[in-house]
């Protein structure tokens, strides 16, 4: 998902737990929220920092493929809408970095790890947005897939993460709908526009399915994260749900999901579908996707180019504080 | 160049309907004025508020989880603090 392949501990059995760990697990099982100052297992803290950090990075790197089209949106209204959407994503990044910070890591540290390649962001943002239809496909499919993952995470055990998710989910539905509205317009447009919409779907379908990560139904890491309620569903469950909801939406557009094996399965009340090419996924994660280098360079450049500004505001704040101090002394 | 991180602020927003300011989240900013500007951009994009407070996070004193028992348990046995504790006959009318 926005956090793919998050490393965690193996699942600990109840007998192996310390008394504190057992109390902690009981609280989680009872649906209590864990707050930053509460005792928590070190593995819980570390896994959460990795997961929330990766999620935050995805939000801000995710601004890049869409930001690419703000200046080229077809109308002023579309431009304003896209700008608002991309601005929301900056906010999502901020909510999530703040949640991670409550676990004792600073935002600058997390950004440093993103910029040095030590931390990852979602594989999906390493694909290019080649034309306006891609902006429709991203909102519809990428934000749609993100919603699948984020809605259950509103119930996650860690209070600050849960609250960030609630805030984010309130805003995501606008993202998906504006994307789908673009697709509706394109699909109902000229034959060339409809072809562009189909082409965008063709290119974004499998990368969107990859967002959920490879199957983890047998993974001990996922089992531990699920016991801690920092992961609410298996990757396969969420992927299936996404396919089930998205195929009828493609049908409505008169577009074809690019999968010959796609078929309704009456028994499971869901679609059968082809797995994405997981070797491609691992290549993208390793840094060899179409846009990995470009995305990371853009991030690092934005950070470096903004340094003088962050410094300047610090200097101004320090001076203003000195001036206030001097004024207070003079008044005495 | 120094690597000083902007300090953290807690943000409180009062919504449209005259209720109390409510904690909505936190953000980084170099000073109070910028914190308010950022809070406006981050937390009120959909008309969520009519007033903003920002407080440096370091100035907040919080109760500790280990005090939970001593602080909050005493209230548990004091059900007479709630109006429903008292049975008032129907004949008396609305009270
Ligand atoms: Fe987002
Ligand atoms: Fe997103
Ligand atoms: Fe979004």
């Amino acid at each position: 998902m926005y956090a793919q392949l998050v490393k965690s501990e193996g699942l600990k059995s109840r007998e192996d737990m310390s008394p504190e760990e057992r109390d902690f697990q009981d609280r989680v099982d009872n649906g209590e929220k864990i707050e930053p100052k509460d005792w928590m297992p070190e593995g819980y803290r570390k896994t959460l920092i990795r997961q929330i950090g990766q999620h935050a990075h995805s939000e801000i790197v995710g601004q890049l493929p869409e930001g690419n089209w703000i200046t080229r949106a077809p109308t002023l209204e579309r431009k304003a809408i896209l700008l608002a959407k991309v601005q929301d994503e900056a906010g999502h990044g901020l909510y999530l970095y703040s949640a991670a910070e409550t676990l004792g890591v600073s935002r600058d540290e997390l950004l440093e790890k993103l910029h040095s390649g030590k931390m990852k962001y979602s594989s999906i943002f390493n694909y290019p947005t080649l034309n306006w239809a891609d902006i429709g496909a991203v909102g519809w499919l990428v934000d749609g897939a993100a919603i699948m993952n984020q809605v259950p995470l509103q119930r996650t055990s860690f209070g600050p993460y849960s609250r960030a998710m609630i805030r984010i989910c309130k805003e995501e539905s606008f993202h998906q709908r504006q994307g789908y509205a673009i697709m509706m317009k394109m699909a109902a447009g000229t034959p060339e526009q409809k072809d562009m919409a189909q082409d965008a779907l063709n290119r974004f379908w499998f990368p969107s399915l990859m967002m959920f990560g490879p199957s983890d139904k047998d993974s001990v890491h996922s089992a531990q994260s699920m016991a801690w309620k920092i992961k609410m569903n298996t990757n396969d469950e969420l992927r299936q749900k996404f396919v089930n909801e998205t195929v009828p939406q493609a049908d409505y557009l008169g577009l074809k999901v690019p999968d010959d094996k796609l078929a309704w399965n009456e028994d499971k009340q869901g679609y059968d579908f082809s797995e994405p090419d997981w070797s491609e996924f691992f290549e993208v994660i390793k840094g060899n996707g179409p846009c990995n280098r470009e995305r990371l360079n853009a991030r690092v450049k934005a950070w470096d180019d903004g340094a003088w500004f962050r410094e300047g505001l610090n200097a101004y704040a320090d001076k203003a504080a000195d001036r206030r101090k001097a004024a207070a002394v003079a008044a005495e | 160049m120094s690597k000083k991180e902007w300090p953290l602020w807690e943000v409180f927003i009062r919504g449209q309907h005259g209720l109390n300011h409510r904690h909505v989240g936190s953000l980084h900013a170099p000073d109070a004025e910028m914190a308010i500007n950022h809070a406006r951009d981050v937390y009120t994009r959909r008309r969520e508020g009519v007033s903003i407070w920002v407080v440096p996070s370091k100035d907040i004193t919080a109760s500790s989880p280990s005090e939970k028992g001593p602080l909050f348990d005493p209230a548990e046995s004091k059900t007479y603090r709630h109006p429903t504790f008292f049975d008032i006959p129907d004949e008396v009318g609305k009270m």
Side-chain angles (χ1 to χ4, degrees):
Chain A
M1 200 5 34
Y2 269 24
Q4 299 153 322
L5 300 176
V6 175
K7 262 189 258 151
S8 141
E9 325 260 292
L11 180 61
K12 214 174 207 181
S13 71
R14 213 173 158 80
E15 299 81 72
D16 294 339
M17 287 182 193
S18 68
E20 282 154 316
E21 286 173 324
R22 228 168 285 151
D23 282 351
F24 176 86
Q25 189 60 51
D26 288 342
R27 292 187 60 198
V28 170
D29 292 344
N30 289 334
E32 275 180 54
K33 290 282 181 250
I34 307 301
E35 295 297 338
K37 284 181 150 191
D38 293 347
W39 186 89
M40 60 185 78
E42 198 43 28
Y44 178 85
R45 200 181 68 82
K46 281 202 182 130
T47 309
L48 265 178
I49 289 176
R50 275 193 289 258
Q51 179 173 331
I52 301 174
Q54 207 183 103
H55 195 155
H57 297 330
S58 299
E59 299 288 350
I60 60 163
V61 176
Q63 295 181 289
L64 298 171
E66 290 179 297
N68 183 30
W69 279 88
I70 290 172
T71 55
R72 287 176 282 171
T75 66
L76 188 56
E77 186 186 52
R78 290 285 181 200
K79 179 174 175 160
I81 292 169
L82 184 59
L83 194 57
K85 196 262 187 202
V86 172
Q87 191 188 21
D88 275 356
E89 304 299 3
H92 296 180
L94 178 116
Y95 309 153
L96 288 160
Y97 284 123
S98 298
E101 284 180 296
T102 66
L103 292 160
V105 63
S106 80
R107 186 169 75 186
D108 283 7
E109 268 172 73
L110 290 170
L111 285 174
E112 195 282 314
K113 284 191 173 144
L114 168 68
H115 295 160
S116 64
K118 278 187 216 118
M119 280 181 90
K120 305 280 179 209
Y121 53 88
S122 175
S123 57
I124 190 71
F125 302 119
N126 293 311
Y127 291 85
T129 44
L130 303 177
N131 60 51
W132 181 249
D134 287 14
I135 298 305
V138 166
W140 172 35
L141 300 172
V142 175
D143 288 84
I147 290 171
M148 283 295 152
N149 175 56
Q150 288 168 344
V151 165
L153 276 175
Q154 293 178 99
R155 291 179 285 109
T156 184
S157 60
F158 188 54
Y161 192 24
S162 157
R163 292 190 282 274
M165 278 300 138
I166 290 168
R167 203 160 255 292
I168 287 174
C169 284
K170 271 193 200 142
E171 300 179 347
E172 282 298 352
S173 164
F174 148 56
H175 298 177
Q176 190 182 21
R177 292 172 74 133
Q178 65 85 34
Y180 195 71
I182 293 173
M183 293 305 272
M184 287 199 300
K185 229 351 182 253
M186 302 282 292
T190 63
E192 288 82 0
Q193 286 172 321
K194 188 168 182 184
D195 286 348
M196 281 169 73
Q198 181 64 56
D199 175 58
L201 172 58
N202 292 349
R203 283 180 291 107
F204 276 95
W205 176 255
F206 284 111
S208 298
L209 296 190
M210 290 178 202
M211 286 175 68
F212 299 95
S215 179
D216 60 349
K217 57 183 190 301
D218 305 316
S219 151
V220 286
H221 301 298
S222 292
Q224 180 60 78
S225 288
M226 287 177 85
W228 280 335
K229 293 193 189 160
I230 60 182
K231 186 177 168 72
M232 310 302 283
N233 306 86
T234 66
N235 296 347
D236 290 324
E237 276 165 17
L238 292 173
R239 189 168 16 250
Q240 180 71 58
K241 201 160 175 259
F242 175 74
V243 172
N244 291 350
E245 283 189 22
T246 308
V247 170
Q249 295 164 356
D251 289 345
Y252 179 85
L253 295 171
L255 300 180
K256 191 183 169 303
V257 171
D259 179 359
D260 293 334
K261 295 216 184 90
L262 187 80
W264 179 255
N265 180 330
E266 193 60 34
D267 291 338
K268 74 172 183 188
Q269 286 296 300
Y271 289 91
D272 291 330
F273 57 94
S274 305
E275 289 278 312
D277 176 358
W278 290 113
S279 61
E280 176 183 318
F281 170 79
F282 286 110
E283 276 305 305
V284 175
I285 289 283
K286 260 194 273 171
N288 303 323
C291 300
N292 292 60
R293 224 150 299 152
E294 189 185 327
R295 299 290 184 244
L296 208 53
N297 287 346
R299 267 306 315 159
V300 172
K301 184 175 184 316
W303 180 250
D304 291 346
D305 288 355
W308 68 270
F309 180 73
R310 293 190 300 276
E311 287 293 312
L313 288 185
N314 265 336
Y316 177 82
D318 290 346
K319 259 191 203 164
D322 288 347
R323 236 177 284 133
R324 271 195 306 275
K325 231 181 267 164
V329 170
E332 266 166 27
Chain B
M1 201 174 277
S2 88
K3 283 248 180 79
K4 193 173 132 200
E5 193 168 9
W6 287 351
L8 197 63
W9 301 75
E10 299 301 321
V11 180
F12 301 79
I13 305 270
R14 172 155 61 218
Q16 307 279 344
H17 307 292
L19 297 174
N20 290 325
H21 283 77
R22 250 185 77 195
H23 182 244
V24 292
S26 44
L27 50 75
H28 287 274
D31 58 23
E33 191 190 340
M34 285 303 296
I36 294 220
N37 287 335
H38 288 172
R40 188 207 71 136
D41 290 345
V42 177
Y43 293 109
T44 66
R45 290 199 303 284
R46 290 179 175 79
R47 313 185 51 198
E48 289 93 337
V50 294
S51 164
I52 302 172
W53 288 351
V54 293
V55 181
S57 306
K58 65 168 174 42
D59 290 346
I60 291 195
T61 310
S63 64
S64 100
S66 61
E67 294 171 316
K68 210 166 139 199
L71 284 178
F72 306 116
D73 286 355
E76 245 166 59
S77 55
K78 299 181 179 55
T79 47
Y80 48 81
R81 284 179 171 161
H82 297 277
T84 47
F85 180 80
F86 306 93
D87 278 326
I88 305 291
D90 285 348
E91 297 95 281
V92 179
K94 197 168 175 289
M95 183 180 282

